[in-house]
């Protein structure tokens, strides 16, 4: 009887495996909690960084409305927004890097939000409105930054947006256009739009933004049709397709 009772008692003891499983579950739960904490911390760090960038650029814009960019110092900017000078370099390499980020966030973003055949004109109109509302700041950048720097800005940030727009126009008109033609049209319009905005900003062009956008839109569609018709010289089917689409 005693031997049988002893066996019964020993059988009720937890096995080593059953003792390990709760520990594994506890460990997994701790790892998940730690992961969630890290994600929240990264999000807060990112949000704090974005807020700091915007405050710095707001101070920079106020100074750009008063004097040339090459006369503005990092110390001046940081003093204006109540931050330590060294904090500037946590977010930007130099003043020009801050200007580029500012225009990317405030101006180029307007085009990104309106990508599409019917919407890119709205984005371009809002971009003109941004230039008008921030004319002093934009003129400061125009007079202070070299043409090569502005050219690189448009090439890197606007190129993909314009290329996507041209591809959508091609699809809308149901035309066959080679990749080479699309690439050449993109480069042409990136340069043309940059020059048109610059001349308008300098008040060398008197037309309204709406008139300029209608002109650019019609010119773009005419170019696409022309490119398709040139290709049709060797492919009559392409010509017929484009004519049906237009």
């Amino acid at each position: 009887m005693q031997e049988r009772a002893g066996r019964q008692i020993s059988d009720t003891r937890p096995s080593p495996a059953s003792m390990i499983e709760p520990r594994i579950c506890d460990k997994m739960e701790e790892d998940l909690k730690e992961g969630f904490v890290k994600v929240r911390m990264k999000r807060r760090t990112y949000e704090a960084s974005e807020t700091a960038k915007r405050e710095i650029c707001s101070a920079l814009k106020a100074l750009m409305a008063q004097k040339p960019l090459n006369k503005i110092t990092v110390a001046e900017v940081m003093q204006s927004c109540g931050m330590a000078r060294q904090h500037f370099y946590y977010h930007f390499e130099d003043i020009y890097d801050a200007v580029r980020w500012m225009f990317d966030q405030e101006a180029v973003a307007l085009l990104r939000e309106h990508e599409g055949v019917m919407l890119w004109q709205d984005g371009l109109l809002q971009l003109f409105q941004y230039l008008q509302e921030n004319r002093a700041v934009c003129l400061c950048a125009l007079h202070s930054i070299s043409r090569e720097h502005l050219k690189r800005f448009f090439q890197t940030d606007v190129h993909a947006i314009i290329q996507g727009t041209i591809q959508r126009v091609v699809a809308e008109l149901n035309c066959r256009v080679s990749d080479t033609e699309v690439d050449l049209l993109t480069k042409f319009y990136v340069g043309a739009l940059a020059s048109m905005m610059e001349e308008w900003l300098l008040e060398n062009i008197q037309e309204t933004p709406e008139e300029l956008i209608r002109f650019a839109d019609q010119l773009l569609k005419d170019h696409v049709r022309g490119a398709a018709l040139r290709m049709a010289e060797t492919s009559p089917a392409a010509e017929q397709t484009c004519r049906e689409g237009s």
Side-chain angles (χ1 to χ4, degrees), residues 56-57 60-61 64 69 72 88 92-107 130 137-138 140-142 144-145 149-150 153 157:
I56 291 170
C57 288
L60 177 59
K61 283 177 69 174
M64 288 176 68
L69 197 61
I72 300 173
F88 178 90
F92 303 110
E93 294 181 3
D94 52 29
I95 292 288
Y96 297 98
D97 186 38
V99 171
R100 184 187 180 284
W101 185 88
M102 176 180 69
F103 283 133
D104 179 78
Q105 294 294 306
E106 296 181 358
Y130 173 86
V137 173
C138 294
C140 174
L142 187 63
S144 303
I145 301 176
H149 192 93
L150 287 173
F153 170 77
D157 293 293

Side-chain angles (χ1 to χ4, degrees), residues 32 74 100 135 139 152 179 182:
L32 284 172
V74 170
R100 184 187 180 284
R135 180 176 288 272
L139 284 173
R152 285 196 300 271
D179 292 340
V182 170

Side-chain angles (χ1 to χ4, degrees), residues 4 41 43 63 70 77 94 109 133-134 141 143 147 150 177 184 192 207 233:
R4 185 180 301 173
M41 289 179 64
R43 186 181 296 118
L63 291 169
N70 58 4
V77 173
D94 52 29
E133 292 169 3
N134 298 273
H143 292 144
R147 291 296 184 273
L150 287 173
V177 179
L184 288 174
E207 283 75 11
E233 294 177 0

Side-chain angles (χ1 to χ4, degrees), residues 42-246:
K42 286 182 179 179
R43 186 181 296 118
R44 289 173 183 172
T45 301
Y46 172 79
E47 291 173 353
S49 176
E50 290 294 295
T51 300
K53 284 182 178 180
R54 295 186 187 283
E55 289 179 2
I56 291 170
C57 288
S58 178
L60 177 59
K61 283 177 69 174
L63 291 169
M64 288 176 68
Q66 302 171 19
K67 53 185 174 180
L69 197 61
N70 58 4
K71 300 293 185 182
I72 300 173
T73 65
V74 170
E76 214 175 356
V77 173
M78 300 308 284
Q79 184 178 5
S80 297
C81 60
M83 298 184 193
R85 181 181 180 277
Q86 63 269 24
H87 287 178
F88 178 90
Y89 298 101
Y90 295 160
H91 308 287
F92 303 110
E93 294 181 3
D94 52 29
I95 292 288
Y96 297 98
D97 186 38
V99 171
R100 184 187 180 284
W101 185 88
M102 176 180 69
F103 283 133
D104 179 78
Q105 294 294 306
E106 296 181 358
V108 179
L110 296 174
L111 287 177
R112 292 198 193 101
E113 292 171 1
H114 293 81
E115 287 186 65
V117 177
M118 299 303 296
L119 294 177
W120 81 280
Q121 298 96 326
D122 295 335
L124 199 56
L125 180 59
Q126 287 193 24
L127 187 55
F128 271 106
Q129 290 172 349
Y130 173 86
L131 295 177
Q132 179 62 46
E133 292 169 3
N134 298 273
R135 180 176 288 272
V137 173
C138 294
L139 284 173
C140 174
L142 187 63
H143 292 144
S144 303
I145 301 176
S146 69
R147 291 296 184 273
E148 279 301 310
H149 192 93
L150 287 173
K151 184 179 178 182
R152 285 196 300 271
F153 170 77
F154 270 87
Q155 283 179 340
T156 55
D157 293 293
V158 180
H159 186 278
I161 297 171
I162 299 301
Q163 186 176 54
T165 298
I166 290 173
Q167 290 170 339
R168 290 182 178 91
V169 169
V170 169
E172 181 194 46
L173 296 176
N174 196 25
C175 292
R176 288 185 180 181
V177 179
S178 68
D179 292 340
T180 301
E181 290 280 357
V182 170
D183 186 57
L184 288 174
L185 281 173
T186 300
K187 291 177 180 177
F188 173 81
Y189 275 96
V190 168
L193 286 173
S195 297
M196 184 172 67
M197 289 181 182
E198 178 182 335
E199 291 298 310
W200 182 82
L201 196 59
L202 294 171
E203 298 182 339
N204 294 329
I205 294 179
Q206 302 305 318
E207 283 75 11
T208 65
E210 290 81 2
E211 291 171 336
L212 293 175
I213 292 168
R214 282 196 298 270
F215 172 77
D217 181 59
Q218 188 59 54
L219 190 62
L220 172 58
K221 290 179 178 177
D222 288 345
H223 273 178
V224 170
R225 291 191 184 97
L229 291 174
R230 283 195 302 275
M231 291 183 63
E233 294 177 0
T234 56
S235 177
E239 180 178 6
Q240 182 65 29
T241 300
C242 188
R243 285 177 176 174
E244 291 174 355
S246 58

